[in-house]
Each structure stands twice: as C-alpha cells, then as structure tokens.
Amino acid sequence: MARSPRLRFGADYHLFQRGSNGQDLFMEERDYAYFSTLYARHILPVADTYAYCLLPNHVHLLVRILTQEEQMSKTPGDGRVLSPGRQFTNLFNAYGKAINETYGRAGRLFQPTFGRVGVTSPLERDFLAVYIHRNPTRHGLVNDFRRWPHSSYHDPQAICLLRDKLFPWLGGTSGFEDAHYHQWPVPPEQIARLAPDDLD
C-alpha cells in the first residue's frame, strides 16, 4: 500500500477518517464531546480549523496546517516542531483507546490511515465547508443539516478558529448562511477529488 503524502506546513486540507469496517465511532453523546477535547489537545498546536463535522461512523475536517514558525510561536520556549500527520494519528489512536476501554471492546476503531486531500483554491475551500456542514443531511441523519449538533455550522468554538475566513466574497454572517444554499458550479470530477468515495 502506498504511503499517504505528508501534510505540508501552511497548506489547507480536507481530512477524513471513518470507523474500521464502517463501525460507529460515537456510541453516546458524551463521546462527541470527548473527541472534541482530544482534538483540541492534539490538533490545536499544529492546525487551525475552518470546518468540521462528526458523524456516527466518520469525521470530516477542513484545516489549515500551521507553518513551523506559527507552531513555535504557539509554544514559545519549547523548541520542538511537531509533525502534523503524527498529531492526527495520535488523536485517532487516543480516542480509539479510550473507546475500547470505556466500552470493553478490542481491536482497531478507525481505518489504518486517515484520508487527506489538498485544497488548492479559496473556492475549493469554501465548497468543502458547505459539503462538510451538509453531510448529515446527505447521509439521512437529519432532514435539515442545521439541526445536526456536531458540526461547526453553529459552532464558533475554539477548535473552529478560521470560520471568519470562509466566504469573504459573500460577507458577514448572512453570507456564511447564504453560501450553504448556493448552487455550486463544481464539476463532478472535482467533487470526486475533494471528497473521494464520498464516505458512503
């Protein structure tokens, strides 16, 4: 199996991970909150987040990997530069271990490798934010994606640090909301590249 490309410092990515063999990742409501706690611990030192959505059997993340200089400024005096890929792996491993201990299960919770697609333009980034927020509706979890509680659509929490960078061409809060109902002129082949396999 070919190794996934390294996450580049200063680059934007759509990252996605799913349960091994399609199994659920979140058994109870409290598990979503615990994942978010671990996310803040492992990922905030290496990345800022535009958008996220946590679904029962998979997660979507739209992030900007910090530059090495930005990392160092977040942890002055530490002197270490963390590997972004390793931090995401640590997140998934820590969460999987906690779930196994909590629910008395064994084995791998996540797929061995998390997916990653580089984002090459602001339009792709904005499209992906909408795609990620609308994902619960696409998978039939809710009739209206705005009702799904585990996404950044309604959540200007600490882990969603770059939300105000989305949709600058629409402007303001109403622009953010309007973008989610916009008919995006994105070719199907580009959608397939940005969200491979669509995680069905």
Side-chain angles (χ1 to χ4, degrees), residues 117-163:
V117 175
V119 179
T120 60
S121 73
L123 181 62
E124 286 186 355
R125 180 201 63 207
D126 292 351
F127 163 75
L128 278 166
V130 172
Y131 175 86
I132 287 169
H133 289 149
R134 293 180 67 104
N135 216 243
T137 302
R138 188 188 174 285
H139 290 286
L141 297 169
V142 288
N143 292 327
D144 183 339
F145 70 90
R146 293 172 296 182
R147 296 178 56 202
W148 186 252
H150 308 297
S151 87
S152 53
Y153 182 77
H154 288 300
D155 184 13
Q157 279 186 18
I159 70 169
C160 188
L161 300 177
L162 298 179
R163 175 171 165 155

Side-chain angles (χ1 to χ4, degrees), residues 8 25 37 41 58 84-85 87-88 112 115 138 143 148 161 167-168 171 177 183 187-189 192:
R8 293 184 295 110
L25 304 171
T37 298
R41 180 183 308 162
H58 66 281
Q87 290 299 106
F88 279 98
R138 188 188 174 285
N143 292 327
W148 186 252
L161 300 177
F167 319 112
E177 295 169 358
Q183 296 298 313
E189 61 271 16

Side-chain angles (χ1 to χ4, degrees), residues 54-129:
L54 310 180
L55 298 112
N57 69 354
H58 66 281
V59 300
H60 288 278
L61 309 166
L62 180 58
V63 301
R64 177 183 176 273
I65 304 301
L66 299 179
T67 65
Q68 295 183 49
E69 294 76 19
E70 288 168 333
Q71 254 200 56
M72 299 286 280
S73 70
K74 278 197 168 187
T75 55
D78 185 85
R80 293 181 304 143
V81 174
L82 301 172
S83 161
R86 172 51 55 190
Q87 290 299 106
F88 279 98
T89 298
N90 290 346
L91 162 68
F92 297 129
N93 287 344
Y95 180 77
K97 181 180 179 181
I99 290 297
N100 282 356
E101 291 176 353
T102 299
Y103 296 100
R105 64 179 304 280
R108 187 184 297 277
L109 180 66
F110 290 101
Q111 291 189 138
T113 305
F114 63 91
R116 63 203 74 184
V117 175
V119 179
T120 60
S121 73
L123 181 62
E124 286 186 355
R125 180 201 63 207
D126 292 351
F127 163 75
L128 278 166

